[in-house]
Amino acid sequence: GDESLAKVNSSRLILLEPGMSKSQVLETMGTQNAYYINNPHLVSLFSIQEDHITIIYYYTRNPNDSSSARASIEGSTPLVLLNGKLIGWGEESLRRAQDKYDFTIKKDFDIKVD
């Protein structure tokens, strides 16, 4: 179950291009929920002065606890958007954006599963 969603999402990462709008990103990566996992499974928004940062997490690797229906953040790839445009994805892009714009991501990932 989880494994195929992770594979599909991983394979879609290569279709991303910097400058894509949020709707293009969601269209490329997909928004259908699968196997009780929200897809994307988390979206965080930050505003820093005039800049708006959106981080969309997609589940791309199996969490260590595969019996859990709740995907762990370790199993996710963050997609980073600045003012509605994709500027990068992956932990490195996220760190760079954090350094540059000085925001802290609260890793409070108790994602509710219906």
Side-chain angles (χ1 to χ4, degrees):
D2 304 356
E3 202 167 328
S4 52
L5 177 63
K7 278 203 188 82
V8 167
N9 285 348
S10 296
S11 68
R12 287 177 180 161
L13 286 173
I14 61 170
L15 304 173
L16 294 173
E17 287 173 25
M20 278 184 166
S21 67
K22 184 177 175 186
S23 58
Q24 287 174 307
V25 167
L26 292 173
E27 201 178 317
T28 302
M29 291 299 297
T31 52
Q32 71 286 20
N33 293 348
Y35 316 110
Y36 311 107
I37 295 168
N38 293 330
N39 199 45
H41 80 258
L42 197 75
V43 177
S44 305
L45 301 168
F46 303 91
S47 290
I48 297 105
Q49 287 138 11
E50 304 85 67
D51 289 316
H52 303 289
I53 309 250
T54 308
I55 298 162
I56 305 175
Y57 289 88
Y58 272 95
Y59 175 53
T60 50
R61 294 183 298 286
N62 288 356
N64 298 332
D65 176 12
S66 56
S67 65
S68 167
R70 189 183 295 137
S72 68
I73 196 61
E74 283 75 40
S76 301
T77 297
L79 281 53
V80 185
L81 292 92
L82 174 63
N83 299 326
K85 298 278 183 219
L86 185 64
I87 57 170
W89 52 93
E91 294 298 331
E92 189 55 42
S93 286
L94 183 54
R95 266 195 299 278
R96 261 181 264 156
Q98 279 177 284
D99 291 347
K100 187 171 179 184
Y101 297 97
D102 191 29
F103 58 91
T104 310
I105 294 173
K106 313 272 187 299
K107 296 232 169 175
D108 171 22
F109 295 115
D110 188 21
I111 298 150
K112 298 290 180 288
V113 176
D114 294 338

Short mmCIF file of all heavy atoms in Angstrom, two decimals, residues 20-73:
data_model
loop_
_atom_site.label_atom_id
_atom_site.label_comp_id
_atom_site.label_asym_id
_atom_site.label_seq_id
_atom_site.Cartn_x
_atom_site.Cartn_y
_atom_site.Cartn_z
N MET A 20 7.36 26.65 -11.16
CA MET A 20 5.99 26.15 -11.27
C MET A 20 5.11 26.83 -10.23
O MET A 20 5.56 27.13 -9.13
CB MET A 20 5.94 24.63 -11.01
CG MET A 20 6.31 23.77 -12.18
SD MET A 20 6.10 22.00 -11.72
CE MET A 20 6.16 21.25 -13.35
N SER A 21 3.84 27.04 -10.59
CA SER A 21 2.90 27.59 -9.62
C SER A 21 2.45 26.47 -8.67
O SER A 21 2.65 25.29 -8.96
CB SER A 21 1.68 28.15 -10.34
OG SER A 21 0.96 27.09 -10.92
N LYS A 22 1.83 26.89 -7.58
CA LYS A 22 1.35 25.90 -6.62
C LYS A 22 0.38 24.92 -7.28
O LYS A 22 0.44 23.72 -7.05
CB LYS A 22 0.67 26.59 -5.44
CG LYS A 22 0.24 25.64 -4.37
CD LYS A 22 -0.36 26.38 -3.19
CE LYS A 22 -0.90 25.38 -2.17
NZ LYS A 22 -1.62 26.07 -1.10
N SER A 23 -0.51 25.44 -8.15
CA SER A 23 -1.47 24.52 -8.77
C SER A 23 -0.78 23.55 -9.73
O SER A 23 -1.16 22.39 -9.83
CB SER A 23 -2.60 25.28 -9.47
OG SER A 23 -2.08 26.15 -10.43
N GLN A 24 0.27 24.02 -10.41
CA GLN A 24 1.03 23.11 -11.29
C GLN A 24 1.74 22.04 -10.46
O GLN A 24 1.81 20.88 -10.86
CB GLN A 24 2.08 23.89 -12.09
CG GLN A 24 1.49 24.74 -13.20
CD GLN A 24 2.56 25.60 -13.88
OE1 GLN A 24 3.31 26.34 -13.23
NE2 GLN A 24 2.66 25.49 -15.20
N VAL A 25 2.28 22.45 -9.32
CA VAL A 25 2.95 21.49 -8.43
C VAL A 25 1.97 20.43 -7.97
O VAL A 25 2.24 19.22 -8.05
CB VAL A 25 3.57 22.21 -7.21
CG1 VAL A 25 3.99 21.22 -6.15
CG2 VAL A 25 4.77 23.06 -7.65
N LEU A 26 0.79 20.86 -7.52
CA LEU A 26 -0.20 19.90 -7.03
C LEU A 26 -0.70 18.99 -8.15
O LEU A 26 -0.93 17.81 -7.96
CB LEU A 26 -1.36 20.63 -6.37
CG LEU A 26 -1.01 21.35 -5.07
CD1 LEU A 26 -2.18 22.20 -4.59
CD2 LEU A 26 -0.57 20.38 -3.98
N GLU A 27 -0.82 19.57 -9.34
CA GLU A 27 -1.26 18.78 -10.48
C GLU A 27 -0.20 17.74 -10.85
O GLU A 27 -0.51 16.59 -11.17
CB GLU A 27 -1.47 19.73 -11.66
CG GLU A 27 -2.37 19.18 -12.74
CD GLU A 27 -2.56 20.21 -13.86
OE1 GLU A 27 -2.75 21.41 -13.54
OE2 GLU A 27 -2.48 19.81 -15.03
N THR A 28 1.07 18.15 -10.82
CA THR A 28 2.17 17.25 -11.16
C THR A 28 2.32 16.13 -10.13
O THR A 28 2.46 14.96 -10.48
CB THR A 28 3.50 18.03 -11.24
OG1 THR A 28 3.36 19.06 -12.21
CG2 THR A 28 4.65 17.12 -11.64
N MET A 29 2.26 16.51 -8.86
CA MET A 29 2.51 15.54 -7.79
C MET A 29 1.26 14.73 -7.44
O MET A 29 1.37 13.65 -6.89
CB MET A 29 3.01 16.27 -6.54
CG MET A 29 4.40 16.86 -6.68
SD MET A 29 5.70 15.62 -7.02
CE MET A 29 5.62 14.61 -5.51
N GLY A 30 0.09 15.28 -7.73
CA GLY A 30 -1.13 14.55 -7.40
C GLY A 30 -1.68 14.96 -6.05
O GLY A 30 -0.94 15.36 -5.16
N THR A 31 -3.00 14.86 -5.92
CA THR A 31 -3.63 15.24 -4.66
C THR A 31 -4.59 14.17 -4.16
O THR A 31 -5.37 14.41 -3.25
CB THR A 31 -4.44 16.54 -4.85
OG1 THR A 31 -5.31 16.38 -5.96
CG2 THR A 31 -3.53 17.73 -5.09
N GLN A 32 -4.54 13.00 -4.77
CA GLN A 32 -5.48 11.97 -4.33
C GLN A 32 -4.96 11.32 -3.05
O GLN A 32 -3.78 11.05 -2.92
CB GLN A 32 -5.72 10.92 -5.42
CG GLN A 32 -4.57 9.99 -5.70
CD GLN A 32 -3.42 10.65 -6.46
OE1 GLN A 32 -3.30 11.87 -6.48
NE2 GLN A 32 -2.56 9.85 -7.05
N ASN A 33 -5.86 11.11 -2.10
CA ASN A 33 -5.45 10.41 -0.89
C ASN A 33 -5.41 8.91 -1.20
O ASN A 33 -6.17 8.41 -2.01
CB ASN A 33 -6.44 10.67 0.24
CG ASN A 33 -6.38 12.12 0.67
OD1 ASN A 33 -5.48 12.86 0.27
ND2 ASN A 33 -7.35 12.53 1.46
N ALA A 34 -4.46 8.23 -0.57
CA ALA A 34 -4.31 6.81 -0.85
C ALA A 34 -3.95 6.08 0.44
O ALA A 34 -3.13 6.55 1.20
CB ALA A 34 -3.22 6.59 -1.88
N TYR A 35 -4.54 4.95 0.64
CA TYR A 35 -4.18 4.10 1.79
C TYR A 35 -4.17 4.88 3.09
O TYR A 35 -3.23 4.75 3.88
CB TYR A 35 -2.80 3.47 1.57
CG TYR A 35 -2.62 2.94 0.17
CD1 TYR A 35 -1.75 3.54 -0.72
CD2 TYR A 35 -3.36 1.83 -0.26
CE1 TYR A 35 -1.61 3.06 -2.01
CE2 TYR A 35 -3.22 1.36 -1.54
CZ TYR A 35 -2.34 1.96 -2.42
OH TYR A 35 -2.20 1.49 -3.68
N TYR A 36 -5.18 5.70 3.32
CA TYR A 36 -5.30 6.45 4.58
C TYR A 36 -4.22 7.51 4.75
O TYR A 36 -4.06 8.07 5.83
CB TYR A 36 -5.28 5.53 5.81
CG TYR A 36 -6.22 4.38 5.69
CD1 TYR A 36 -5.74 3.10 5.46
CD2 TYR A 36 -7.60 4.57 5.76
CE1 TYR A 36 -6.61 2.04 5.32
CE2 TYR A 36 -8.47 3.51 5.62
CZ TYR A 36 -7.97 2.26 5.40
OH TYR A 36 -8.84 1.21 5.25
N ILE A 37 -3.41 7.75 3.72
CA ILE A 37 -2.38 8.76 3.84
C ILE A 37 -2.83 9.96 3.03
O ILE A 37 -3.17 9.82 1.86
CB ILE A 37 -1.02 8.25 3.31
CG1 ILE A 37 -0.54 7.11 4.21
CG2 ILE A 37 0.00 9.38 3.26
CD1 ILE A 37 0.62 6.36 3.62
N ASN A 38 -2.84 11.12 3.65
CA ASN A 38 -3.17 12.32 2.90
C ASN A 38 -2.05 12.59 1.91
O ASN A 38 -0.88 12.46 2.26
CB ASN A 38 -3.31 13.51 3.84
CG ASN A 38 -4.51 13.36 4.75
OD1 ASN A 38 -5.50 12.74 4.37
ND2 ASN A 38 -4.42 13.89 5.94
N ASN A 39 -2.41 12.95 0.72
CA ASN A 39 -1.40 13.20 -0.32
C ASN A 39 -1.74 14.52 -1.00
O ASN A 39 -2.70 14.56 -1.71
CB ASN A 39 -1.46 12.04 -1.33
CG ASN A 39 -0.20 11.95 -2.17
OD1 ASN A 39 0.90 12.04 -1.63
ND2 ASN A 39 -0.33 11.76 -3.47
N PRO A 40 -1.00 15.59 -0.83
CA PRO A 40 0.19 15.69 0.02
C PRO A 40 -0.21 15.55 1.48
O PRO A 40 -1.34 15.87 1.83
CB PRO A 40 0.68 17.12 -0.27
CG PRO A 40 -0.53 17.87 -0.68
CD PRO A 40 -1.38 16.88 -1.42
N HIS A 41 0.70 15.11 2.33
CA HIS A 41 0.23 14.83 3.67
C HIS A 41 0.43 15.97 4.65
O HIS A 41 0.00 15.88 5.78
CB HIS A 41 0.73 13.49 4.19
CG HIS A 41 2.10 13.44 4.71
ND1 HIS A 41 3.13 12.94 4.00
CD2 HIS A 41 2.62 13.81 5.91
CE1 HIS A 41 4.22 12.99 4.71
NE2 HIS A 41 3.96 13.53 5.86
N LEU A 42 1.04 17.05 4.21
CA LEU A 42 1.17 18.19 5.11
C LEU A 42 1.48 19.43 4.31
O LEU A 42 2.25 19.35 3.35
CB LEU A 42 2.32 17.93 6.08
CG LEU A 42 2.30 18.83 7.31
CD1 LEU A 42 1.24 18.38 8.27
CD2 LEU A 42 3.65 18.80 7.96
N VAL A 43 0.88 20.54 4.68
CA VAL A 43 1.21 21.81 4.05
C VAL A 43 1.45 22.81 5.17
O VAL A 43 0.62 22.94 6.07
CB VAL A 43 0.06 22.30 3.14
CG1 VAL A 43 0.39 23.66 2.55
CG2 VAL A 43 -0.21 21.29 2.03
N SER A 44 2.60 23.49 5.15
CA SER A 44 2.89 24.52 6.14
C SER A 44 3.02 25.85 5.43
O SER A 44 3.60 25.92 4.35
CB SER A 44 4.23 24.24 6.85
OG SER A 44 4.22 22.97 7.42
N LEU A 45 2.50 26.88 6.04
CA LEU A 45 2.56 28.21 5.45
C LEU A 45 3.28 29.16 6.40
O LEU A 45 3.05 29.12 7.60
CB LEU A 45 1.13 28.75 5.25
CG LEU A 45 0.24 27.90 4.35
CD1 LEU A 45 -1.20 28.35 4.45
CD2 LEU A 45 0.71 27.98 2.91
N PHE A 46 4.13 29.99 5.84
CA PHE A 46 4.82 31.00 6.63
C PHE A 46 4.77 32.31 5.88
O PHE A 46 4.84 32.33 4.66
CB PHE A 46 6.31 30.65 6.81
CG PHE A 46 6.51 29.32 7.44
CD1 PHE A 46 6.64 28.18 6.66
CD2 PHE A 46 6.58 29.18 8.82
CE1 PHE A 46 6.82 26.94 7.23
CE2 PHE A 46 6.76 27.93 9.39
CZ PHE A 46 6.88 26.81 8.61
N SER A 47 4.66 33.41 6.61
CA SER A 47 4.79 34.72 5.98
C SER A 47 5.93 35.45 6.66
O SER A 47 5.97 35.54 7.89
CB SER A 47 3.51 35.53 6.12
OG SER A 47 2.51 34.95 5.32
N ILE A 48 6.85 35.93 5.88
CA ILE A 48 7.98 36.70 6.39
C ILE A 48 7.95 38.04 5.67
O ILE A 48 8.24 38.10 4.48
CB ILE A 48 9.32 35.99 6.14
CG1 ILE A 48 9.35 34.66 6.91
CG2 ILE A 48 10.49 36.84 6.61
CD1 ILE A 48 9.17 33.46 6.08
N GLN A 49 7.58 39.10 6.39
CA GLN A 49 7.38 40.40 5.74
C GLN A 49 6.51 40.21 4.51
O GLN A 49 5.41 39.70 4.61
CB GLN A 49 8.72 41.07 5.45
CG GLN A 49 9.38 41.57 6.72
CD GLN A 49 10.88 41.28 6.74
OE1 GLN A 49 11.48 40.88 5.77
NE2 GLN A 49 11.48 41.48 7.90
N GLU A 50 7.00 40.63 3.33
CA GLU A 50 6.12 40.49 2.16
C GLU A 50 6.17 39.10 1.55
O GLU A 50 5.46 38.83 0.59
CB GLU A 50 6.50 41.49 1.05
CG GLU A 50 6.53 42.94 1.46
CD GLU A 50 7.86 43.33 2.09
OE1 GLU A 50 8.87 43.33 1.37
OE2 GLU A 50 7.88 43.60 3.30
N ASP A 51 7.05 38.27 2.03
CA ASP A 51 7.21 36.96 1.39
C ASP A 51 6.34 35.89 2.03
O ASP A 51 6.20 35.84 3.24
CB ASP A 51 8.68 36.52 1.45
CG ASP A 51 9.56 37.34 0.53
OD1 ASP A 51 9.14 37.56 -0.63
OD2 ASP A 51 10.63 37.77 0.95
N HIS A 52 5.78 35.05 1.19
CA HIS A 52 4.98 33.93 1.67
C HIS A 52 5.68 32.64 1.27
O HIS A 52 5.95 32.43 0.10
CB HIS A 52 3.58 33.96 1.07
CG HIS A 52 2.86 35.23 1.35
ND1 HIS A 52 2.39 35.55 2.61
CD2 HIS A 52 2.57 36.29 0.56
CE1 HIS A 52 1.83 36.75 2.56
NE2 HIS A 52 1.93 37.22 1.32
N ILE A 53 5.95 31.82 2.25
CA ILE A 53 6.59 30.53 2.00
C ILE A 53 5.54 29.44 2.21
O ILE A 53 4.84 29.45 3.21
CB ILE A 53 7.73 30.29 3.00
CG1 ILE A 53 8.66 31.48 3.02
CG2 ILE A 53 8.43 28.96 2.74
CD1 ILE A 53 10.01 31.28 2.45
N THR A 54 5.45 28.55 1.26
CA THR A 54 4.57 27.39 1.41
C THR A 54 5.44 26.15 1.31
O THR A 54 6.25 26.05 0.39
CB THR A 54 3.53 27.35 0.27
OG1 THR A 54 2.87 28.60 0.20
CG2 THR A 54 2.51 26.24 0.52
N ILE A 55 5.28 25.25 2.26
CA ILE A 55 6.02 23.99 2.20
C ILE A 55 5.00 22.87 2.11
O ILE A 55 4.12 22.74 2.95
CB ILE A 55 6.92 23.82 3.42
CG1 ILE A 55 7.93 24.97 3.43
CG2 ILE A 55 7.67 22.48 3.35
CD1 ILE A 55 8.56 25.18 4.75
N ILE A 56 5.12 22.12 1.03
CA ILE A 56 4.19 21.02 0.80
C ILE A 56 5.00 19.73 0.94
O ILE A 56 5.99 19.55 0.24
CB ILE A 56 3.58 21.10 -0.62
CG1 ILE A 56 2.92 22.47 -0.83
CG2 ILE A 56 2.57 19.96 -0.82
CD1 ILE A 56 2.39 22.68 -2.24
N TYR A 57 4.58 18.89 1.85
CA TYR A 57 5.31 17.63 2.06
C TYR A 57 4.63 16.50 1.31
O TYR A 57 3.43 16.27 1.47
CB TYR A 57 5.33 17.27 3.54
CG TYR A 57 6.21 18.15 4.37
CD1 TYR A 57 5.72 19.33 4.93
CD2 TYR A 57 7.55 17.81 4.59
CE1 TYR A 57 6.53 20.15 5.69
CE2 TYR A 57 8.35 18.63 5.35
CZ TYR A 57 7.85 19.79 5.90
OH TYR A 57 8.66 20.59 6.65
N TYR A 58 5.41 15.79 0.53
CA TYR A 58 4.92 14.57 -0.12
C TYR A 58 5.67 13.37 0.44
O TYR A 58 6.87 13.42 0.65
CB TYR A 58 5.11 14.63 -1.63
CG TYR A 58 3.94 15.27 -2.33
CD1 TYR A 58 3.94 16.61 -2.65
CD2 TYR A 58 2.81 14.52 -2.66
CE1 TYR A 58 2.86 17.21 -3.29
CE2 TYR A 58 1.72 15.10 -3.30
CZ TYR A 58 1.75 16.44 -3.60
OH TYR A 58 0.68 17.01 -4.23
N TYR A 59 4.89 12.32 0.63
CA TYR A 59 5.42 11.08 1.17
C TYR A 59 6.16 10.35 0.05
O TYR A 59 5.57 10.04 -0.98
CB TYR A 59 4.19 10.32 1.66
CG TYR A 59 4.42 8.95 2.17
CD1 TYR A 59 5.35 8.72 3.16
CD2 TYR A 59 3.66 7.90 1.68
CE1 TYR A 59 5.53 7.44 3.65
CE2 TYR A 59 3.83 6.64 2.16
CZ TYR A 59 4.77 6.41 3.15
OH TYR A 59 4.94 5.15 3.62
N THR A 60 7.47 10.15 0.20
CA THR A 60 8.26 9.55 -0.88
C THR A 60 9.07 8.33 -0.46
O THR A 60 9.68 7.67 -1.29
CB THR A 60 9.24 10.58 -1.47
OG1 THR A 60 9.97 11.18 -0.40
CG2 THR A 60 8.51 11.67 -2.25
N ARG A 61 9.14 8.07 0.83
CA ARG A 61 9.89 6.89 1.29
C ARG A 61 9.08 6.21 2.38
O ARG A 61 8.35 6.87 3.11
CB ARG A 61 11.24 7.32 1.89
CG ARG A 61 12.16 7.93 0.88
CD ARG A 61 13.52 8.26 1.52
NE ARG A 61 13.41 9.25 2.59
CZ ARG A 61 13.20 10.56 2.40
NH1 ARG A 61 13.00 11.04 1.19
NH2 ARG A 61 13.14 11.38 3.43
N ASN A 62 9.23 4.92 2.48
CA ASN A 62 8.49 4.22 3.52
C ASN A 62 8.99 4.62 4.90
O ASN A 62 10.18 4.64 5.14
CB ASN A 62 8.67 2.71 3.38
CG ASN A 62 7.90 2.21 2.19
OD1 ASN A 62 7.20 2.97 1.54
ND2 ASN A 62 8.04 0.94 1.89
N PRO A 63 8.06 4.93 5.80
CA PRO A 63 8.50 5.18 7.17
C PRO A 63 9.03 3.89 7.76
O PRO A 63 8.66 2.80 7.30
CB PRO A 63 7.23 5.64 7.87
CG PRO A 63 6.11 5.17 7.03
CD PRO A 63 6.62 5.02 5.64
N ASN A 64 9.87 4.00 8.77
CA ASN A 64 10.43 2.79 9.39
C ASN A 64 9.34 1.90 9.94
O ASN A 64 9.39 0.69 9.84
CB ASN A 64 11.38 3.19 10.51
CG ASN A 64 12.54 4.00 9.96
OD1 ASN A 64 12.91 3.83 8.80
ND2 ASN A 64 13.09 4.90 10.75
N ASP A 65 8.35 2.52 10.54
CA ASP A 65 7.25 1.73 11.08
C ASP A 65 6.20 1.57 9.99
O ASP A 65 5.27 2.35 9.88
CB ASP A 65 6.66 2.44 12.29
CG ASP A 65 5.45 1.69 12.82
OD1 ASP A 65 5.25 0.53 12.40
OD2 ASP A 65 4.72 2.25 13.64
N SER A 66 6.36 0.53 9.20
CA SER A 66 5.47 0.40 8.05
C SER A 66 4.07 -0.03 8.47
O SER A 66 3.15 -0.01 7.69
CB SER A 66 6.04 -0.61 7.07
OG SER A 66 6.26 -1.82 7.74
N SER A 67 3.91 -0.43 9.74
CA SER A 67 2.57 -0.82 10.18
C SER A 67 1.72 0.41 10.45
O SER A 67 0.51 0.33 10.58
CB SER A 67 2.66 -1.67 11.45
OG SER A 67 3.17 -0.87 12.50
N SER A 68 2.35 1.57 10.55
CA SER A 68 1.61 2.79 10.85
C SER A 68 1.00 3.37 9.58
O SER A 68 1.69 3.53 8.58
CB SER A 68 2.54 3.82 11.47
OG SER A 68 1.90 5.07 11.49
N ALA A 69 -0.28 3.68 9.65
CA ALA A 69 -0.94 4.29 8.49
C ALA A 69 -0.53 5.75 8.37
O ALA A 69 -0.72 6.38 7.35
CB ALA A 69 -2.45 4.19 8.62
N ARG A 70 0.05 6.29 9.44
CA ARG A 70 0.42 7.70 9.42
C ARG A 70 1.85 7.81 8.91
O ARG A 70 2.78 7.30 9.51
CB ARG A 70 0.32 8.27 10.84
CG ARG A 70 0.47 9.77 10.87
CD ARG A 70 0.44 10.24 12.29
NE ARG A 70 -0.88 9.99 12.88
CZ ARG A 70 -1.05 9.50 14.11
NH1 ARG A 70 -0.02 9.19 14.85
NH2 ARG A 70 -2.25 9.35 14.59
N ALA A 71 2.01 8.47 7.78
CA ALA A 71 3.35 8.57 7.20
C ALA A 71 4.20 9.49 8.06
O ALA A 71 3.76 10.52 8.51
CB ALA A 71 3.25 9.14 5.80
N SER A 72 5.43 9.08 8.30
CA SER A 72 6.30 9.89 9.14
C SER A 72 6.93 10.99 8.31
O SER A 72 7.07 10.87 7.11
CB SER A 72 7.40 9.02 9.73
OG SER A 72 8.26 8.62 8.69
N ILE A 73 7.32 12.05 8.98
CA ILE A 73 7.93 13.16 8.27
C ILE A 73 9.25 12.71 7.63
O ILE A 73 9.65 13.22 6.60
CB ILE A 73 8.12 14.37 9.21
CG1 ILE A 73 8.38 15.62 8.38
CG2 ILE A 73 9.21 14.14 10.23
CD1 ILE A 73 7.26 15.99 7.44
#
